[in-house]
């Protein structure tokens, strides 16, 4: 039987003045690691909800930002750690319009260090704005300073870096 996704991970790309140049990420303490982990916002799909609805809801809950559109959803099911668990998710890349007034206000909160997440779910989430250019280097720097980085996110950053090396 093919794996079924019960969760969604969201890669929010920030558009400011028409240019896609940053990604929005989060960090939160992950007890199994004993560390703060840099990761994409994510969450479980609620009954009656589709993946896009879940992505937009979770993005708002975890960052205060609202997605304008889905940029990419190839419907692939990502098996998170198939040697240990059957947990699987879908990855949606979404656009966040930084010039939209509600998002501009939320970005101000992010820059001032506001903590996000649902208290009833025990979430205490810090939001990060990181450049797409050099994302792998920035994530590696965060690892050197004591953070963990989600494997899916690091593979994405490594793919971005390798694309410039491998393209003709």
């Amino acid at each position: 039987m093919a794996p079924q996704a019960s969760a969604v991970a969201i890669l929010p790309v920030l558009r400011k003045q028409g240019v896609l140049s940053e990604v929005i990420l989060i960090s939160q303490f992950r007890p199994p690691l004993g560390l703060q982990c840099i990761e994409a916002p994510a969450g479980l799909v609620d009954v009656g909800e589709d993946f896009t609805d879940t992505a937009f809801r979770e993005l708002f809950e975890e960052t205060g930002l609202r997605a304008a559109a889905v940029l990419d959803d190839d419907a692939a099911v990502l098996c998170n750690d198939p040697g240990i668990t059957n947990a699987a998710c879908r990855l949606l890349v979404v656009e966040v319009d930084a010039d939209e007034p509600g998002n501009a206000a939320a970005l101000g909160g992010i820059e001032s260090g506001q903590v996000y997440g649902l208290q009833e779910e025990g979430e205490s989430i810090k939001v990060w704005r990181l450049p797409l250019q050099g994302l792998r280097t920035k994530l590696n720097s965060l690892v050197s300073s004591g953070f963990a980085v989600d494997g899916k996110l690091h593979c994405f950053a490594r793919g971005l870096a390798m694309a410039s090396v491998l393209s003709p």
Side-chain angles (χ1 to χ4, degrees):
M1 178 190 310
Q4 300 294 309
S6 59
V8 63
I10 308 107
L11 188 64
V13 181
L14 195 63
R15 179 182 299 277
K16 187 163 179 69
Q17 298 174 342
V19 177
L20 295 169
S21 62
E22 293 178 296
V23 65
I24 301 294
L25 302 173
I26 64 169
S27 64
Q28 56 187 321
F29 183 76
R30 294 300 190 180
L33 301 175
L35 296 169
Q36 290 283 326
C37 186
I38 307 290
E39 54 197 53
L44 296 173
V45 177
D46 287 344
V47 174
E49 209 174 33
D50 67 22
F51 290 102
T52 300
D53 292 339
T54 301
F56 285 27
R57 174 181 54 78
E58 286 289 342
L59 178 65
F60 183 73
E61 288 175 4
E62 296 189 355
T63 69
L65 298 167
R66 295 197 185 276
V70 174
L71 296 176
D72 184 64
D73 174 16
D74 67 7
V77 174
L78 303 177
C79 300
N80 295 330
D81 200 343
I84 298 172
T85 178
N86 67 350
C89 71
R90 289 258 299 269
L91 174 65
L92 276 72
V93 180
V94 302
E95 176 185 325
V96 174
D97 181 358
D99 300 316
E100 188 275 321
N103 286 339
L107 289 167
I110 290 166
E111 289 168 8
S112 69
Q114 183 173 341
V115 175
Y116 290 87
L118 298 178
Q119 285 186 330
E120 62 269 20
E121 293 182 9
E123 295 176 327
S124 178
I125 296 171
K126 177 179 175 12
V127 182
W128 299 74
R129 287 176 69 170
L130 297 179
L132 281 168
Q133 179 108 16
L135 180 60
R136 179 184 184 189
T137 301
K138 182 62 178 168
L139 291 175
N140 286 340
S141 173
L142 288 165
V143 168
S144 295
S145 66
F147 287 88
V149 174
D150 177 78
K152 295 180 297 297
L153 174 60
H154 199 275
C155 285
F156 171 78
R158 193 171 192 178
L160 279 178
M162 292 304 299
S164 65
V165 171
L166 298 175
S167 47

